[in-house]
Amino acid sequence: MKNLRSRLGSPAALAALAGMAAAAVVLSVAELAGAFFTARATPLIALGSTFIDFTPPWMKDFAIATFGTNDKVALFVGMGLTIAVLAGVLGMVAYRRWVLGAAGVLLMGAVIVASVVTRAGVKPLDALPTLFGTIAGLVVLRLLTRQLWRIKIWPEAPADRAAKGTERPASTRRAFFAATGITAAASVMAATGGRLLGAARSNIAQARQSLQLPEPATAAPAVPAGVQSAAAGVTPWITPNNDFYRIDTALSVPEINVEDWELRVHGLVEQEVRLTFQDLLDAELIESHVTLTCVSNPVGGNLAGNAKWLGVPLRDVLKMARPQPGADMVLSTSEDGFSASTPLEVLQDDRDAMLAIAMNGEPLPLEHGYPVRMVVPGLYGFVSATKWVVDLEVTRFADSKAYWTQRGWSERGPIKTMARVEVPRSFAKVAAGRVAIGGTAWAQTRGITKVEVQIDNGDWAEATLSAEASVITWRQWSFDWEATPGPHYIKVRATDGTGEVQTDQRADPVPDGASGWQSLMLTVE
Ligand SMILES: Nc1nc2c(c(=O)[nH]1)N[C@H]1C(S)=C(S)[C@@H](COP(=O)(O)O)O[C@H]1N2
Ligand SMILES: [Mo]
């Protein structure tokens, strides 16, 4: 106990603490100043985004498999720990050799600035918050290490420092802890203040609220009765916006004013086209139910959602631009630098690919692409569903690579046929007797014509399909099972509209989507 206490109070430990306090100052001052600059330019957001951009496919896969849609929280926790360790080391170095420590802090500042200014849509001036933060952090580190030097109870204190200390009033550990505590509290206040100020200065959420949506020229076909699974507890057929899965590389959601939004359609086209948001409002809008699916969705996973989208058909936009012969791909790019490669013909056929401006009767939620995103039936999101879209380049697969393709994922991504069990849950304990099994299946653009359930490696039995709204939406199912006590294994598979049975070949999400049959174990009591 005494040993631990003396260790925690050792100069090295206190110097490490000083380093962490200084790092908190760097980050919080940058956060406070950052309220007046582009949101993506604060150190944590910029560093995290740079890290994401260097994420190899296996790591993205691992992060989503392990943390699901909490992958961003996990990233921030990991970054926080890394920064704390680095800052601790720098604090110890600065205590022994100030010049070296200061150089280390400046180097870290430079790394952050580099990561800030290389973000898409960030201006050079956006480096200022990091500069302010680094200077403030240096000052605080200097003050705290000086104070440490003036605590003269350690024989191992650097000799020259101890001598210097005699010129000034000696300090105590207690005073040092007070100073660090005040620094930490001030940092928390500055960071919170920066957050609140940033939110208050941004009026995007309000602008979204007051946006008036036009009526579609072509309303969505009525959803037939009975699309919902007969089994209680299956996911709602329409996914409420708040429950819709969110997958993107954006650590800070792009904030785009509809007045500033513009879409440029260019590349291999006869006529370059520029569209404003008002142009979209004035266009002939369509409305369509479309199920989106993420390529990272594991077998049985929940990275899929179904919504009613309102937007301008992409075939109309492309008609205005008139693609040249030889073009076979459209590279869509978001305001924050993400891109997706979509086959040109998919955007020209009659499948309701669109520039969407509304989701389930509301303007797009900020996290789902406000003000404009792409929605393309039949393709995984990473090659089609660009949120915050601002640029369409008509090009060729041979000439351009999209964001995830550059990182080892496929260049094309048609959605694979998938059946999912939602009730009962895997490893559930259920009572013997009638058990309602139920779930959702999808094979967008082909449709689902059959779902089968297999109990304990017995014969495949047909489930009851719920009504089909269209081939571009998911389809629910249910199955009544007379459950007998004991452990049981359930497997499920779907057949698509072309008659093809879902493959039992297991594949990982990388590079073009998971496959295989979901299988789960239940205990009947
Ligand atoms: N700008 C941008 N758009 C993006 C992404 C992204 O990282 N950035 N991710 C894509 C992926 S991988 C998927 S699965 C869908 C998810 O859309 P959602 O978050 O609205 O469900 O968005 C797509 N559009
Ligand atoms: Mo995705």
Side-chain angles (χ1 to χ4, degrees):
M1 187 61 200
K2 184 156 180 289
N3 193 11
L4 179 71
R5 276 187 66 171
S6 67
R7 266 204 204 186
L8 287 180
S10 75
L14 295 190
L17 196 62
M20 292 180 208
V25 169
V26 174
L27 299 180
S28 60
V29 166
E31 186 71 40
L32 184 59
F36 300 92
F37 294 82
T38 307
R40 241 167 283 146
T42 59
L44 283 181
I45 304 285
L47 284 175
S49 307
T50 305
F51 183 85
I52 290 175
D53 282 351
F54 283 102
T55 301
W58 61 265
M59 200 190 278
K60 183 204 179 205
D61 206 17
F62 167 81
I64 289 186
T66 316
F67 307 113
T69 44
N70 286 327
D71 53 346
K72 287 179 180 136
V73 178
L75 173 62
F76 279 123
V77 170
M79 267 176 22
L81 292 176
T82 311
I83 290 175
V85 169
L86 277 177
V89 170
L90 276 182
M92 292 194 277
V93 172
Y95 172 69
R96 298 248 145 212
R97 302 273 303 274
W98 166 251
V99 179
L100 262 188
V105 173
L106 288 175
L107 182 66
M108 279 186 70
V111 167
I112 303 174
V113 165
S115 134
V116 165
V117 296
T118 49
R119 304 308 310 156
V122 161
K123 300 171 280 300
L125 270 188
D126 286 325
L128 282 180
T130 301
L131 280 180
F132 296 154
T134 307
I135 293 166
L138 262 186
V139 171
V140 165
L141 188 61
R142 178 73 178 167
L143 292 176
L144 289 178
T145 43
R146 279 207 167 196
Q147 191 175 20
L148 278 181
W149 296 337
R150 289 194 278 116
I151 306 176
K152 290 173 302 172
I153 53 172
W154 297 306
E156 69 263 44
D160 55 333
R161 311 298 190 217
K164 258 190 206 163
T166 54
E167 299 154 17
R168 298 164 167 277
S171 189
T172 60
R173 269 187 267 204
R174 185 185 289 265
F176 172 80
F177 281 126
T180 334
I182 291 169
T183 307
S187 298
V188 170
M189 277 165 57
T192 316
R195 277 286 148 118
L196 295 176
L197 200 60
R201 282 175 49 86
S202 145
N203 46 15
I204 298 292
Q206 255 174 317
R208 172 183 175 270
Q209 291 265 312
S210 48
L211 194 76
Q212 294 289 327
L213 293 172
E215 287 297 318
T218 317
V223 175
V227 288
Q228 187 66 36
S229 168
V234 170
T235 203
W237 188 79
I238 290 221
T239 316
N241 289 356
N242 279 332
D243 300 336
F244 208 96
Y245 81 96
R246 173 188 170 195
I247 292 287
D248 54 58
T249 59
L251 282 183
S252 131
V253 172
E255 300 193 340
I256 306 174
N257 284 307
V258 286
E259 295 81 26
D260 302 335
W261 183 85
E262 192 184 50
L263 179 77
R264 183 168 165 241
V265 188
H266 61 111
L268 300 175
V269 293
E270 300 298 340
Q271 173 69 54
E272 179 166 328
V273 173
R274 283 171 189 266
L275 293 175
T276 64
F277 194 74
Q278 190 59 47
D279 291 335
L280 300 191
L281 295 180
D282 295 342
E284 301 235 311
L285 301 177
I286 56 167
E287 206 173 31
S288 181
H289 289 94
V290 181
T291 301
L292 294 191
T293 312
C294 182
V295 68
S296 298
N297 192 49
V299 172
N302 56 9
L303 299 179
N306 186 43
K308 184 172 75 176
W309 308 92
L310 171 74
V312 178
L314 273 153
R315 53 177 179 268
D316 291 356
V317 174
L318 288 166
K319 230 174 259 167
M320 291 159 66
R322 287 180 282 133
Q324 292 168 1
D328 64 1
M329 187 260 270
V330 173
L331 188 75
S332 52
T333 306
S334 70
E335 197 256 358
D336 66 337
F338 167 88
S339 60
S341 54
T342 313
L344 177 62
E345 81 257 10
V346 161
L347 303 179
Q348 292 176 306
D349 66 20
D350 58 4
R351 72 173 71 190
D352 287 353
M354 65 173 108
L355 291 170
I357 59 170
M359 178 177 185
N360 290 330
E362 283 177 29
L364 292 179
L366 302 190
E367 316 78 57
H368 293 290
Y370 178 86
V372 184
R373 75 171 304 166
M374 303 228 310
V375 168
V376 182
L379 303 184
Y380 287 121
F382 83 116
V383 288
S384 69
T386 306
K387 306 190 269 190
W388 315 290
V389 64
V390 292
D391 190 282
L392 300 182
E393 186 193 356
V394 178
T395 173
R396 303 189 309 176
F397 277 106
D399 296 340
S400 259
K401 297 255 169 292
Y403 184 92
W404 284 115
T405 310
Q406 290 164 16
R407 287 160 181 78
W409 292 72
S410 169
E411 63 179 14
R412 291 166 200 256
I415 295 172
K416 298 181 180 177
T417 304
M418 184 62 65
R420 173 174 86 187
V421 181
E422 293 166 30
V423 287
R425 305 217 152 265
S426 195
F427 300 115
K429 289 187 168 60
V430 298
R434 227 203 77 188
V435 173
I437 305 176
T440 307
W442 58 79
Q444 291 93 312
T445 68
R446 301 180 300 278
I448 293 291
T449 50
K450 199 197 282 184
V451 169
E452 294 163 290
V453 176
Q454 184 195 53
I455 311 279
D456 301 329
N457 292 314
D459 291 336
W460 286 98
E462 263 190 63
T464 307
L465 286 176
S466 305
E468 176 177 72
S470 76
V471 293
I472 56 176
T473 54
W474 59 20
R475 189 162 189 189
Q476 301 198 328
W477 57 272
S478 63
F479 183 83
D480 284 335
W481 173 44
E482 277 305 321
T484 52
H488 292 285
Y489 297 86
I490 298 181
K491 275 192 193 143
V492 63
R493 69 180 188 194
T495 301
D496 73 11
T498 70
E500 187 151 344
V501 180
Q502 176 182 342
T503 177
D504 66 341
Q505 287 283 306
R506 282 248 153 204
D508 284 334
V510 186
D512 63 358
S515 66
W517 296 336
Q518 188 187 354
S519 125
L520 51 152
M521 202 210 58
L522 302 180
T523 309
V524 178
E525 297 180 316

